[in-house]
Amino acid sequence: MTAHPFEVVVVGNAGLDTCVYVEGEELDLTREGHFTRNRDGVGQAGGYASRGYARLGHRTAFLGAVGEDAAGAQVRAVLEREGVDVGATFPDPQGTARSVNFVFPDGRRRNFYDGRGHMTLTPDPAACRRVLAGARLAHFNLPNWARLVLPVAREEGVAIACDVQDVSDPLDPYRRDFVEAADYLFFSAAHQPDPELLMRAYWTLNPRLVMVAGMGQRGCALGVNGELRVFPPPPLPWPVLDTNGAGDALAVGFLSGHVFGGLSLEEAVWRGQIAARHTCAQRVPKEDLITAGRLGEVAASLNACQTAP
């Protein structure tokens, strides 16, 4: 572990994704055989977020469970290669988390997630405290064991961001600990007609929340101090090939800009959307996540276009 405090600690599962790229607009389950392109890559929320922060130049640690198996070795190797500290990983006796994700030509996806032992694991509080000490931000995903780390982060005075992902019920008891502990909350509203309804429900649980909702092709919603603003997607020419990791990139780009870069919430939303779209323009293993330099260049170019007479 580095002698200097980490800027950000990502708390959650990283694992191996198998993305199945199908040819048609829908999957015909009446057929036994299908011709697809199948690719493996290190992903899931913890993997994408850790890699994203490191690519943006932040001192990043990953706090999560991986198995003592080939997939776990691959997760550790990829994160280390991208500059993520993995000294706080701990073993999952059931193995490394896996996902099989069906991806359609327009980038839509259907994910089948196997979190292995995440419901019953217990992280070492002392180890969690060591990695969180001095950090500015803890970025939480949703494995069950991660809720046990929330009070440690709060005691260490670390800002807490939680991504509760694709929400169907804002009062879901599984997510409640994360909602109540967060300073920043991210969720997907791609399948929700009105993100304001979700935000108002979350504000009843935690009025201090700053919320960012990804809405897919509709753009992004920002909720702060009881008010909501909707931002259109940035006008970028990049194709949408695979939306896996888009929500993680939105959160990483936003938090990097606002928490570490001191940008306004509005500027941070813009950067988050650029990072998300850049991620969508790649298929796994998505080895070209956006860098700080590239993100700044694209943001400046779009701003110049918007202000040009």
Side-chain angles (χ1 to χ4, degrees):
M1 232 177 249
T2 179
H4 303 286
F6 297 108
E7 292 180 277
V8 57
V9 179
V10 175
V11 184
N13 277 3
L16 191 64
D17 290 347
T18 295
C19 286
V20 180
Y21 295 96
V22 302
E23 295 182 351
E25 295 300 321
E26 298 295 338
L27 190 63
D28 182 1
L29 295 179
T30 65
R31 295 170 50 198
E32 181 177 355
H34 300 81
F35 292 98
T36 61
R37 295 289 184 185
N38 305 334
R39 299 185 180 185
D40 292 336
V42 171
Q44 301 175 17
Y48 278 118
S50 297
R51 294 169 56 206
Y53 283 116
R55 290 283 288 180
L56 290 176
H58 300 296
R59 296 190 306 278
T60 305
F62 171 65
L63 170 56
V66 294
E68 299 295 336
D69 49 23
Q74 185 174 351
V75 168
R76 291 188 189 90
V78 168
L79 294 184
E80 287 185 314
R81 186 183 71 212
E82 299 204 16
V84 177
D85 189 288
V86 297
T89 58
F90 57 98
D92 184 343
Q94 295 189 35
T96 301
R98 298 290 303 268
S99 286
V100 176
N101 306 329
F102 288 86
V103 184
F104 298 93
D106 62 359
R108 288 177 301 121
R109 59 186 177 155
R110 293 292 181 268
N111 297 349
F112 300 84
Y113 177 63
D114 179 356
R116 302 299 166 106
H118 85 94
M119 290 297 295
T120 58
L121 292 170
T122 302
D124 177 7
C128 295
R129 196 174 301 279
R130 283 194 297 272
V131 74
L132 286 164
R136 294 179 60 187
L137 176 68
H139 181 140
F140 281 79
N141 305 125
L142 284 177
N144 188 58
W145 59 261
R147 76 181 70 249
L148 303 175
V149 187
L150 290 167
V152 180
R154 181 62 66 199
E155 291 164 10
E156 290 295 324
V158 182
I160 295 175
C162 295
D163 186 347
V164 293
Q165 302 177 344
D166 188 6
V167 179
S168 57
D169 177 6
L171 301 181
D172 170 16
Y174 183 90
R175 290 169 165 81
R176 184 160 185 156
D177 288 344
F178 297 93
V179 174
E180 292 179 340
D183 301 298
Y184 301 91
L185 191 74
F186 298 83
F187 63 88
S188 171
H191 306 297
Q192 298 285 341
D194 185 0
E196 183 173 3
L197 299 177
L198 296 171
M199 289 187 177
R200 300 225 172 269
Y202 282 140
W203 274 320
T204 65
L205 299 175
N206 182 351
R208 73 173 180 275
L209 283 173
V210 173
M211 286 182 273
V212 178
M215 301 191 300
Q217 295 179 347
R218 295 177 291 153
C220 183
L222 170 68
V224 59
N225 294 328
E227 297 182 357
L228 177 140
R229 290 182 58 189
V230 175
F231 297 81
L236 293 165
W238 305 331
V240 177
L241 301 177
D242 178 350
T243 54
N244 284 293
D248 307 306
L250 173 65
V252 167
F254 174 91
L255 292 164
S256 175
H258 181 62
V259 174
F260 299 121
L263 298 179
S264 69
L265 294 171
E266 295 77 12
E267 291 175 297
V269 165
W270 197 239
R271 292 206 174 203
Q273 288 198 91
I274 294 169
R277 184 63 179 275
H278 189 274
T279 301
C280 291
Q282 304 171 58
R283 295 188 174 96
V284 294
K286 302 203 179 198
E287 294 181 337
D288 186 29
L289 299 182
I290 200 163
T291 63
R294 178 64 171 152
L295 182 54
E297 289 172 3
V298 175
S301 176
L302 291 177
N303 290 338
C305 292
Q306 287 184 326
T307 57

